[in-house]
Amino acid sequence: MAKGEGAESGSAAGLLPAGIIQAGERPAQVKEPKKKQQLSVCSKLCYAVGGAPYQVTGCALGFFLQIYLLDVAQVDPFSASIILFVGRAWDAITDPLVGFFISKSSWTRLGRLMPWIIFSTPLAVVAYFLIWFVPDFPQGQSLWYLLFYCLFETLVTCFHVPYSALTMFISTEQSERDSATAYRMTVEVLGTVLGTAIQGQIVGQADTPCLQDRNISAVALEGANRTHSTTSLRETQNAYLLAAGVIATIYIICAVILILGVREQREPYETQQAEPMSFFRGLRLVMSHGPYVKLIAGFLFTSLAFMLVEGNFALFCTYTLGFRNEFQNLLLAIMLSATFTIPIWQWFLTRFGKKTAVYVGISSAVPFLTLVALMERNLIITYVVAVAAGISVAAAFLLPWSMLPDVIDDFHLKQPHSRGTEPIFFSFYVFFTKFASGVSLGISTLSLDFAGYQTRGCTQPRRVKFTLKMLVTMTPIVLILLGLLLFKLYPIDEEKRRQNKKALQALREEASSSGCSDTDSTELASIL
């Protein structure tokens, strides 16, 4: 046995009273401490690939659904704001509901989480495709988009909540979970790149028609442009359908890789515990856990900031900056930059700690957003800012999901007899994130309506351009600063993480040891 392993075991054992150690001593059955559970690169990759469907579809919807509803489906701005807000609000509500049903699920041969992923995938693909289909009945268009948007968000929640909770069941080692999370974040950012590239490049090839002069009478405009406008609009609608078909195929492929390549694992001490607690008791315990509340409070504001940028970026580039044919390339530059910097942030948080990475990574977006607010139209500078902004986007992707397992470990030490609470942690974290997204999209579209947004206009009034600039620059800056101030209250630093790791390792080794009775294990868990 290596010297370091013995030292760690000794320090972990020092957390326990001598009476417990003596009661469990059986010289004939003494076992060597278990080796650290190492995940293979293949397992990490298969797990990581499972995060792509949510990001590919979410990126396409986040960046393009608003402009699609306004300029392609020709839904009026007020109805579009209702669709976007209600859809995201419903999406947020479904997260705790799905978390509740998952917590009540029994372990099967496939696990407790995998059946949800398997059965939701085909239905989600169909619903996603129908979101980008323009029905022939104009009077019911708003209801069509609201129905299939809510249906898709429900089904993708049935995929994403169990997938997120799967982080806690692929390994018992913190370092392995952090490594798998880094793989996952890299693939998820690649998923956003795919979503941006596929949706942006395919749709960008179509000539979306716009109205040059709003003062021309309706009769004259119909006689002059009707044929060209109808043909161009149909081409644009077909382009959106083609992009949806490609993304749906990627969704299915990634889900199959996840299902075949990842196996759920139960905690050793979980099988010794009694029946799982009720959902509402678990929810009360989770929402009263201080580190969890402080984590979601800080990232609620920062998530809202980045979602405001995401939801309005296409309109901002098209109308405020005047880069109608460049916004999809600017999005691609942001996401490629984020993809290449994910490994750098993983090294940074390992070297300097996660809290430091939060402050440095997320605050780095502020100067670039300020530059966008102050600069005049300049394509080269815009590309430079886009690449730089991708660095901050990478940190916003990686850090929340890397820190949440630390909060759950801290909770398990303080509530050792709790069982099945992981879906609650992840579902309510996603709930608050999606609620922020719904608020941002609803407020954004309503603000554009009040500012006088003109559907299919080649240009927009000055008030609309100013509103877009505020939504993409100054408002996110204020939200980022508020989030960082709240994050000062987050208590789990690197020293606390190391202490939790040693205590959990002692709990797992003692629970899985055949030399320890069930009574001793229960008492051990209570002490820890």
Side-chain angles (χ1 to χ4, degrees):
M1 180 173 63
K3 182 178 180 181
E5 291 175 351
E8 185 172 333
S9 300
S11 63
L15 296 171
L16 309 176
I20 296 297
I21 301 298
Q22 292 171 0
E25 284 178 355
R26 293 175 175 83
Q29 300 180 8
V30 172
K31 293 186 176 182
E32 290 291 321
K34 282 189 171 182
K35 292 183 179 180
K36 288 186 177 181
Q37 181 187 28
Q38 298 289 335
L39 286 175
S40 66
V41 174
C42 181
S43 297
K44 293 177 184 178
L45 286 174
C46 290
Y47 166 73
V49 166
Y54 181 78
Q55 294 300 331
V56 172
T57 56
C59 181
L61 290 169
F63 281 120
F64 292 94
L65 184 58
Q66 185 183 50
I67 196 171
Y68 167 80
L69 291 174
L70 293 173
D71 288 353
V72 180
Q74 300 181 34
V75 177
D76 65 272
F78 180 76
S79 297
S81 68
I82 296 298
I83 293 169
L84 294 171
F85 176 74
V86 173
R88 288 301 180 117
W90 172 252
D91 184 23
I93 293 171
T94 58
D95 284 289
L97 289 176
V98 171
F100 168 76
F101 288 117
I102 292 176
S103 69
K104 295 296 184 182
S105 300
S106 302
W107 279 84
T108 67
R109 187 173 58 87
L110 298 173
R112 186 171 64 178
L113 305 174
M114 278 298 181
W116 290 82
I117 294 173
I118 294 171
F119 292 112
S120 65
T121 296
L123 298 175
V125 166
V126 174
Y128 178 79
F129 185 81
L130 292 176
I131 291 175
W132 303 102
F133 177 77
V134 180
D136 293 331
F137 39 90
Q139 297 299 325
Q141 273 191 348
S142 298
L143 183 60
W144 171 279
Y145 291 116
L146 181 60
L147 173 64
F148 284 106
Y149 188 31
C150 291
L151 179 60
F152 171 74
E153 295 294 358
T154 302
L155 292 168
V156 81
T157 296
C158 292
F159 181 101
H160 188 61
V161 169
Y163 171 74
S164 300
L166 193 60
T167 307
M168 302 302 297
F169 296 96
I170 58 175
S171 176
T172 58
E173 289 291 331
Q174 279 187 359
S175 59
E176 290 299 301
R177 293 201 303 255
D178 285 345
S179 176
T181 300
Y183 275 79
R184 170 190 166 188
M185 291 302 108
T186 302
V187 173
E188 287 194 356
V189 175
L190 282 172
T192 64
V193 172
L194 275 177
T196 303
I198 293 170
Q199 192 84 9
Q201 298 303 317
I202 293 177
V203 171
Q205 299 302 314
D207 180 21
T208 305
C210 62
L211 305 180
Q212 294 284 353
D213 191 350
R214 287 280 171 179
N215 296 321
I216 300 177
S217 67
V219 175
L221 183 62
E222 182 179 356
N225 296 325
R226 185 174 187 179
T227 302
H228 176 266
S229 177
T230 302
T231 303
S232 299
L233 187 60
R234 177 56 62 184
E235 290 177 355
T236 304
Q237 293 170 357
N238 291 336
Y240 274 97
L241 283 177
L242 176 60
V246 175
I247 289 175
T249 303
I250 294 174
Y251 192 117
I252 294 173
I253 293 172
C254 293
V256 170
I257 293 174
L258 171 67
I259 293 165
L260 297 179
V262 176
R263 178 175 173 271
E264 289 183 57
Q265 301 178 25
R266 302 180 75 170
E267 287 280 12
Y269 57 82
E270 184 178 325
T271 57
Q272 299 178 5
Q273 296 175 0
E275 291 296 318
M277 68 178 67
S278 68
F279 174 81
F280 293 104
R281 180 168 178 265
L283 177 61
R284 187 176 70 252
L285 289 174
V286 167
M287 298 309 296
S288 63
H289 189 55
Y292 181 66
V293 174
K294 293 165 185 175
L295 181 69
I296 62 176
F299 279 114
L300 179 64
F301 284 93
T302 56
S303 297
L304 181 57
F306 284 102
M307 287 174 183
L308 276 173
V309 177
E310 174 187 332
N312 296 282
F313 189 78
L315 293 173
F316 175 72
C317 291
T318 300
Y319 296 115
T320 303
L321 298 181
F323 301 140
R324 175 178 289 272
N325 298 320
E326 291 290 336
F327 77 86
Q328 65 268 21
N329 297 324
L330 289 166
L331 289 176
L332 193 58
I334 292 174
M335 295 307 166
L336 285 173
S337 173
T339 302
F340 291 125
T341 51
I342 282 280
I344 298 175
W345 284 119
Q346 175 63 20
W347 169 84
F348 189 94
L349 67 86
T350 304
R351 178 68 175 81
F352 299 101
K354 296 180 181 180
K355 287 189 70 172
T356 303
V358 167
Y359 291 125
V360 175
I362 295 180
S363 63
S364 64
V366 173
F368 301 115
L369 292 174
T370 305
L371 180 60
V372 171
L374 299 178
M375 74 177 186
E376 297 295 331
R377 173 179 173 177
N378 188 305
L379 185 59
I380 297 177
I381 295 178
T382 304
Y383 270 104
V384 172
V385 170
V387 172
I391 299 173
S392 186
V393 170
F397 263 98
L398 174 64
L399 292 170
W401 296 108
S402 179
M403 299 171 76
L404 191 53
D406 300 335
V407 173
I408 298 175
D409 284 342
D410 186 72
F411 175 82
H412 283 162
L413 286 174
K414 294 178 180 177
Q415 303 289 340
H417 294 291
S418 63
R419 176 183 169 189
T421 55
E422 292 85 359
I424 301 177
F425 274 100
F426 283 94
S427 62
F428 272 87
Y429 185 83
V430 178
F431 165 80
F432 287 111
T433 303
K434 291 180 178 179
F435 179 78
S437 176
V439 170
S440 68
L441 286 172
I443 292 176
S444 299
T445 313
L446 278 177
S447 300
L448 294 176
D449 188 25
F450 294 147
Y453 181 86
Q454 298 175 352
T455 302
R456 292 177 58 196
C458 292
T459 60
Q460 296 292 338
R462 293 179 61 87
R463 289 177 58 191
V464 173
K465 296 179 181 179
F466 177 78
T467 301
L468 286 169
K469 178 172 285 191
M470 291 298 101
L471 290 172
V472 172
T473 57
M474 300 311 299
T475 306
I477 289 174
V478 173
L479 292 170
I480 287 173
L481 295 178
L482 286 174
L484 292 178
L485 285 175
L486 287 172
F487 197 77
K488 289 279 290 183
L489 303 174
Y490 180 70
I492 301 179
D493 53 16
E494 294 306 299
E495 180 62 27
K496 181 68 172 177
R497 287 181 66 239
R498 285 191 289 268
Q499 293 174 0
N500 288 350
K501 178 182 177 180
K502 290 182 179 180
L504 279 172
Q505 188 63 30
L507 175 61
R508 288 167 181 141
E509 289 179 357
E510 194 70 20
S512 60
S513 172
S514 61
C516 182
S517 66
D518 291 343
T519 302
D520 291 340
S521 296
T522 303
E523 188 173 357
L524 175 68
S526 301
I527 292 168
L528 282 174

